[in-house]
């Protein structure tokens, strides 16, 4: 095939990156490193009391954390991050995977256990998480070819920014290319794209990794100074140790840290929305969200009453988060 411009937006195991940077596409020679986490994901129709008030919840503990996200139409998608050594085996069958996650989060909030219980086993999948260090000294562009998204800056999902950064790349590529009058201008435009994106994407890539490493190495069972020097699995179920002390006092700093961090993450505004536009969009989206969710819950309640919930789940089965990502090939 012949083309004027080639954008390598082919994900973390990018064939185009491997060719451009003369690396292996996968494995130790690919420059990608295992993060120490496996993420399990599942999805179900579910109605927590705060569905319309809280879109995203994170439950944290030592060497694992659990995230729930409202994905619309009365559904919740969850991610269970579990620290697992490289090469260590996890169960392969869907039922076994669900049992593994339930056991890993045994004794956690009842909300977590209830959600897991309500999730059909065959929606549960897992994936090992990899990222790369930022590619600051090596351009994402070479001649008329450029990398974008996970191909050049794969990151840990902790800050929910991998997809956002891919979209910012796409926007910037269009901005730079639209000024080109001939093919000969494309290589400079793509280098310009790289220079304008590398600082922000690398900073977010680094922040995502730091957040993940901190969770893995520092987070421990909550301990409260009021509980004395040791309350091993007693009152607050905390264990006194230096990390527990740091985590206990971190809560005073976190609001400021989050404020700075999220101001930076959400600082990219190529288009400035007016307050009225935002309000109208939010209202339209939330009205539709409420309508669709209530309908989905009513349909499920009826199926439970009729004893046909299995058939409904089968009918509503759709490719998982991971399968959808792989299917677009
Ligand atoms: C658990 C989890 C939660 C996440 N949560 C968030 C979040 O809340 N917010 C957020 O912004 N990001 C999130 N992300 C990150 C986000 O999913 C990725 O950063 C994003 O999908 C990257 O987009 P991409 O287009 O660069 O790569 P991909 O989404 O990987 O797309 C690459 C595409 O290229 C195709 N492809 C690969 N090779 C070839 C080939 N040779 N020929 C043709 N096609 C090919 C693949 O099939 C794929 O469709 C999360 C990731 C995970 C794992």
């Amino acid at each position: 095939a012949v083309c004027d411009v080639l954008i390598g937006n082919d994900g973390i195991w990018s064939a185009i990156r491997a060719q451009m940077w003369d690396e292996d596409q996968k494995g130790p020679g690919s420059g990608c490193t295992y993060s120490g986490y496996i993420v399990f994901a599942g999805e179900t129709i579910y109605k927590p009391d705060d569905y319309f008030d809280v879109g995203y919840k994170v439950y944290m503990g030592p060497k694992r954390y659990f995230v729930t996200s409202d994905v619309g139409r009365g559904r919740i998608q969850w991610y269970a991050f579990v620290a697992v050594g490289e090469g260590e085996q996890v169960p392969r069958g869907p039922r076994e995977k669900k049992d593994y996650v339930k056991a890993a989060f045994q004794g956690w909030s009842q909300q977590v256990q209830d959600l897991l219980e309500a999730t059909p086993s065959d929606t549960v999948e897992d994936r090992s998480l990899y990222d790369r260090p930022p590619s600051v000294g090596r351009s994402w562009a070479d001649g008329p070819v450029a990398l974008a998204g996970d191909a050049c800056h794969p990151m840990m999902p902790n800050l929910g920014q991998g997809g956002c950064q891919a979209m910012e790349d796409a926007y910037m590529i269009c901005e730079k290319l639209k000024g080109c009058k001939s093919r000969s201008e494309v290589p400079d435009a793509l280098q310009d794209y790289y220079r304008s994106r590398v600082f922000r994407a690398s900073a977010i890539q680094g922040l995502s990794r730091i957040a993940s490493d901190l969770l893995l190495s520092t987070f421990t069972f909550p301990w409260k100074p009021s509980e004395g020097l040791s309350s091993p699995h007693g009152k607050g179920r905390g264990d006194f140790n230096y990390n527990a002390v740091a985590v206990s006092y971190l809560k005073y700093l976190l609001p400021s840290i989050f404020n700075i961090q999220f101001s930076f993450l959400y600082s990219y505004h190529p288009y400035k929305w007016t307050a009225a536009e935002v309000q109208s969009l939010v209202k339209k989206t939330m009205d539709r969200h409420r309508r669709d969710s209530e309908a989905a819950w009513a349909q499920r309640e009826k199926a439970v009453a009729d004893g046909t919930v299995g058939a409904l789940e089968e009918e509503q089965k759709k490719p998982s988060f991971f399968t959808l990502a792989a299917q677009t090939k």
Side-chain angles (χ1 to χ4, degrees), residues 119-326:
T119 305
S121 307
D122 54 9
T123 68
V124 181
E125 293 189 2
D126 68 287
R127 175 196 277 193
S128 302
L129 290 177
Y130 287 79
D131 68 356
R132 289 175 67 98
S135 312
V136 180
R138 194 159 40 170
S139 178
W140 304 341
D142 187 353
V145 182
L147 303 172
D150 277 9
C152 48
H153 45 64
M155 56 189 79
M156 290 298 291
N158 300 61
L159 302 180
Q161 279 291 311
C164 300
Q165 292 310 303
M167 285 187 262
E168 290 184 18
D169 288 347
Y171 179 85
M172 191 54 80
I173 289 171
C174 295
E175 281 298 294
K176 299 297 178 190
L177 286 181
K178 78 180 180 197
C180 291
K181 302 270 183 294
S182 70
R183 283 184 197 141
S184 62
E185 294 176 23
V186 168
D188 281 349
L190 293 180
Q191 290 302 337
D192 212 14
Y193 145 71
Y194 163 69
R195 283 190 294 271
S196 59
R197 290 284 305 140
V198 65
F199 169 72
R200 181 170 161 79
S202 300
I204 294 175
Q205 208 180 355
L207 281 173
S208 301
R209 186 60 189 232
I210 290 170
S212 160
D213 286 351
L214 276 179
L215 272 174
L216 193 62
S217 61
T218 311
F219 217 84
T220 177
F221 278 118
W223 168 86
K224 300 188 196 81
S226 58
E227 290 177 342
L229 277 190
S230 180
S231 56
H233 312 297
K235 227 166 138 198
R237 311 217 1 257
D239 231 346
F240 177 82
N241 58 46
Y242 291 117
N243 282 349
V245 176
V247 169
S248 174
Y249 287 106
L250 200 60
K251 63 174 176 253
Y252 300 109
L253 293 177
L254 277 180
S256 311
I257 295 174
F258 283 158
N259 218 321
I260 297 168
Q261 177 182 278
F262 286 108
S263 300
F264 173 61
L265 294 182
Y266 302 146
S267 61
Y268 189 75
H269 297 293
Y271 173 76
K272 293 253 186 291
W273 297 80
T274 64
E277 279 174 325
V278 173
Q279 278 157 13
S280 143
L281 194 63
V282 168
K283 180 169 177 350
K284 222 163 87 184
T285 309
M286 284 311 287
D287 285 350
R288 190 185 57 219
H289 182 37
R290 212 171 267 278
R291 211 174 41 239
D292 292 351
S293 301
E294 299 289 0
W297 292 328
Q299 188 185 24
R300 189 182 169 89
E301 264 168 40
K302 183 170 180 312
V304 170
D306 296 347
T308 56
V309 74
L312 179 70
E313 274 171 6
E314 193 58 36
E315 186 190 308
Q316 291 180 335
K317 209 185 262 179
K318 61 183 185 68
S320 72
F321 171 76
F322 296 140
T323 314
L324 276 176

Side-chain angles (χ1 to χ4, degrees), residues 16-28:
I16 297 179
R17 179 191 67 223
Q19 217 175 320
M20 184 188 283
W21 290 349
D22 195 19
E23 290 177 341
D24 293 341
Q25 193 180 341
K26 283 193 172 181

